[in-house]
Amino acid sequence: MMKTKIQWIVIVVAFLPMLLLRDFTPDNEGRYLAIADEALRSGHFFSFVWDGQPYADKPPLYLWLVMLSRVIWGQHSMFALSLLSFIPAIGISSLMDQWTHKELPENFRRLATLMLFTTVYFMGPALVVRMDMLMCLFIVLALRSFWRLYTGHAKPSEQWLLGIWLFLALFTKGPLGILIPLISIVVYIGWQRRWHDIGKFLNWRTWIVIILGCTVWFALTYREAGVDYLYNLVFHQTVDRGINSFHHARPFYYYLISIWYMWLPWSLLCVAGIVVTLVHKERKSDIQTFFLCVALITILLLSFISSKLQIYLLPAFPFVIYFTAYVIKAYDGKRWIIWVLAIPELLFALTLPALFVVRDLIDVPTLSEPIVLAAVTVLSLFSIASLFKLMRHKSLLQSASVLGYGVLSTLAILGLGMPILNQYIT
């Protein structure tokens, strides 16, 4: 327990400099600030405007939080707004830890937490001013409520909670917030051949919360902005964007390629764990099967949707990482799993010499900053240490922990250098 508390302190300390010292990105983050400012000026809370044009891209919940932060602090505080992502990230990890405490020993749960917070595209969204991490938290809460119902460890009130979490996920980011958990639940029930029990888990209590919430939301939006804005919100930003996207259109296989860098430094480990599990068809616990189902359904569902960005895949990350923790527990010490960690460790160990080579070939001012050199040096040294530990002790648990702390150390150093690096933010 003490080691777990110390690890949480290390994670918070590593993220803190970036939370405190980073400037807003003028494009993505600046857009949300401008929309919130205009809404406060106009007194509109359900319909928004950006650069003089109606902005129906997103539901209002997150923008309300941005507006509330502005009212409380009298200005847009980078630290306060970043907490809207960082605190949900902590909540997600804490929920996953509680969810798995009966099956995963503490040291493996601790590793899973470290892996989650050092996965590139989880670490980034935990810092930026976007609604994705908050939506991900509500999705995890919804799936956790379902699991309690499924395993018979829930009171009838859990049905209401399931509806609340599903609606809040929808109210934070849009249709994906409700589609990902609902389809995952339905597929898992079918996978377990329990179709006749679906009404026990998704009954009238859940649906009445969702329907009532949407009715109130749409009615107030119509009253404030009229039918055109409502149509844009309900249809243009959902059906049109999903089938033939006018923003971020990507091919079907987009995520099958992007996961290799999105899940760094654990991508090879995660993918290999999924493949080995599926190929060997070994018996898995119900919770392992559920985590794998959620991860695969999320990837497949998002692949069918025309509009694609790396960050959209965020809801799959907690389930991929914690499923991988089960894989590590089952195969720790096996030759194949040692190699799938050794390869990225070796690549990370070469980042320092690679920096000098790239710096000579490409004129990128950021790479010449001493703070970047210091961060890359630390990453290389930790990677060498983790590789040495892996080869000597043949323990992935210990080696992966060293690599994870190396990534956190690198983040902390870059965070301390943000007063210099902010000039390069675009």
Side-chain angles (χ1 to χ4, degrees), residues 217-392:
W217 171 22
F218 296 154
L220 291 174
T221 301
Y222 172 77
R223 180 183 178 184
E224 188 174 274
V227 68
D228 290 341
Y229 188 96
L230 183 62
Y231 177 85
N232 192 356
L233 174 70
V234 177
F235 295 102
H236 185 56
Q237 296 294 336
T238 56
V239 178
D240 293 347
R241 200 165 188 168
I243 297 174
N244 187 20
S245 178
F246 44 89
H247 286 307
H248 315 306
R250 300 289 190 275
F252 175 84
Y253 53 81
Y254 176 75
Y255 292 115
L256 298 180
I257 296 173
S258 60
I259 58 173
W260 294 103
Y261 59 85
M262 290 164 59
W263 292 351
L264 281 173
W266 318 111
S267 48
L268 191 58
L269 183 61
C270 293
V271 173
I274 293 172
V275 171
V276 167
T277 301
L278 293 176
V279 169
H280 286 183
K281 297 181 180 179
E282 295 178 356
R283 182 173 178 79
K284 301 176 290 295
S285 67
D286 287 344
I287 195 169
Q288 288 175 263
T289 304
F290 184 59
F291 284 6
L292 181 59
C293 175
V294 173
L296 295 179
I297 287 300
T298 302
I299 295 171
L300 186 62
L301 171 64
L302 293 176
S303 295
F304 276 108
I305 294 173
S306 177
S307 180
K308 297 179 180 68
L309 279 179
Q310 295 96 329
I311 201 170
Y312 292 172
L313 200 61
L314 183 65
F317 285 28
F319 299 96
V320 167
I321 293 297
Y322 275 80
F323 175 79
T324 303
Y326 281 103
V327 173
I328 294 171
K329 178 177 177 290
Y331 293 101
D332 196 11
K334 299 291 185 182
R335 181 175 296 179
W336 70 266
I337 203 168
I338 289 173
W339 276 108
V340 296
L341 182 62
I343 292 172
E345 285 180 341
L346 178 60
L347 293 175
F348 274 50
L350 296 173
T351 52
L352 182 58
L355 174 65
F356 288 107
V357 172
V358 172
R359 202 164 62 176
D360 290 338
L361 295 175
I362 305 173
D363 183 21
V364 180
T366 314
L367 301 181
S368 300
E369 294 291 348
I371 197 71
V372 174
L373 176 61
V376 172
T377 300
V378 167
L379 181 60
S380 285
L381 291 175
F382 268 92
S383 300
I384 292 169
S386 63
L387 186 60
F388 175 77
K389 206 167 189 65
L390 184 65
M391 294 297 104
R392 182 175 180 179

Side-chain angles (χ1 to χ4, degrees), residues 6-31:
I6 292 172
Q7 178 175 279
W8 273 115
I9 292 172
V10 171
I11 290 172
V12 172
V13 169
F15 275 78
L16 198 57
M18 192 72 74
L19 292 169
L20 289 169
L21 301 175
R22 187 176 70 85
D23 282 347
F24 294 105
T25 58
D27 185 13
N28 290 325
E29 293 176 333
R31 180 198 322 158

